[in-house]
Amino acid sequence: MDTVTGTAGRSSRGSVLGRGATTAAIAIVAYAAMDMCHEVLGHGVATLFVDDVTPVSLTTVALSSKGASRLVALAGPLMNLVLGVLAMAWFRRRTTVGTGTFFMWLFATVNLLNGTGYPMYSGILDFGDMAAVIAGWQPHLLWRTGLAVLGAAGYYLALRVASASLARWLDAGGVRRKVIPRLTWPGYVAGGLLLVAGAAMNPIPNLVLLVGVSGGFGCMFGMVFVPALLEPAAAEAAGEVPWGFSWTWVGGAVLVAALFVFAVGPGIALHA
């Protein structure tokens, strides 16, 4: 009897660890995709439309360039917002509970939080993309305050939409809402560590704190509050996190993390 109980206990713990590993792996891919969309599809594509800006190198924290442009600076957060809205709209049409659909929710959420968090972050610290957009505008303190307020309002709205959408998806799939912390916490920690690790490889040391920690953990801190924004379902469904250990997701995440940290992290030269 003791042997059976022990085996069941080990199996249960293994299942919990397996589900957590898969959820963390999904987050690593989602965070890396969000970051590269910001830098490449946002800043990078914008440089094609601005004659006096030439991209020099790509890292996980910045697209370095010769020349400056408000349009290029704005394009990163704006791309995150556009992709976040589109991905969330797609997610809200889904009812099947699975890893691919959860990836889309997470990708949508981190894009929305990054896109709305940037104005708040730039307004408070006078640093970052949106600070470059309003550089030189007077009265500067008023512009910074407006950015911070607008960002905070957008951030809260994005968080409410993401939370409600996740709860509705779980309800439709017959999964109890109590599993939400086991979806958001592994994602928050794994994704944050990925962005910090990528920033740590950057040749400019202070970017680890200014961009890696603030972007990975600070800007995404709203993920922690997703469960608190929701009321328990009137009739709680049964069920656990609806997936186990996935070699596909974990293996893919290892590859993505290696490329993100060790290839993009130190910088990829684009022009001499």
Side-chain angles (χ1 to χ4, degrees):
M1 185 68 170
D2 290 340
T3 302
V4 173
T5 303
T7 301
R10 287 193 296 272
S11 176
S12 176
R13 287 192 296 272
S15 297
V16 170
L17 291 175
R19 287 191 292 267
T22 299
T23 304
I26 294 170
I28 286 172
V29 179
Y31 271 65
M34 175 276 295
D35 187 82
M36 289 295 95
C37 287
H38 177 96
E39 303 298 349
V40 178
L41 296 183
H43 297 314
V45 171
T47 63
L48 300 176
F49 300 93
V50 181
D51 293 335
D52 54 349
V53 176
T54 302
V56 175
S57 67
L58 170 68
T59 68
T60 63
V61 300
L63 181 77
S64 300
S65 62
K66 292 180 181 178
S69 164
R70 298 185 200 275
L71 173 63
V72 174
L74 175 64
L78 184 60
M79 179 57 68
N80 286 140
L81 282 175
V82 170
L83 290 177
V85 169
L86 292 176
M88 189 62 73
W90 183 91
F91 170 81
R92 288 173 64 87
R93 297 172 63 89
R94 305 294 295 177
T95 56
T96 303
V97 177
T99 54
T101 313
F102 176 68
F103 165 82
M104 189 57 66
W105 176 83
L106 196 53
F107 177 74
T109 300
V110 295
N111 269 285
L112 289 172
L113 295 185
N114 202 55
T116 56
Y118 250 105
M120 182 168 53
Y121 167 82
S122 293
I124 294 171
L125 299 180
D126 201 21
F127 177 84
D129 290 340
M130 296 306 295
V133 172
I134 66 168
W137 292 0
Q138 300 298 331
H140 195 61
L141 182 59
L142 184 61
W143 279 103
R144 285 179 58 188
T145 302
L147 268 184
V149 172
L150 180 64
Y155 193 91
Y156 177 74
L157 177 62
L159 201 54
R160 294 289 302 193
V161 170
S163 302
S165 299
L166 179 63
R168 188 175 68 173
W169 176 63
L170 292 175
D171 292 346
V175 181
R176 58 182 180 174
R177 295 185 183 185
K178 289 181 181 179
V179 307
I180 290 178
R182 294 196 286 278
L183 298 175
T184 54
W185 270 103
Y188 174 70
V189 173
L193 289 175
L194 175 75
L195 295 189
V196 170
M201 301 297 289
N202 194 282
I204 305 175
N206 66 343
L207 291 181
V208 177
L209 285 176
L210 285 174
V211 182
V213 175
S214 63
F217 289 104
C219 193
M220 303 302 164
F221 191 56
M223 292 274 292
V224 175
F225 294 98
V226 168
L229 292 173
L230 297 170
E231 295 291 334
E236 273 282 23
E240 251 305 342
V241 174
W243 50 77
F245 182 82
S246 169
W247 279 110
T248 301
W249 275 108
V250 172
V254 169
L255 178 60
V256 167
L259 292 172
F260 187 83
V261 174
F262 298 109
V264 185
I268 298 174
L270 302 175
H271 287 89

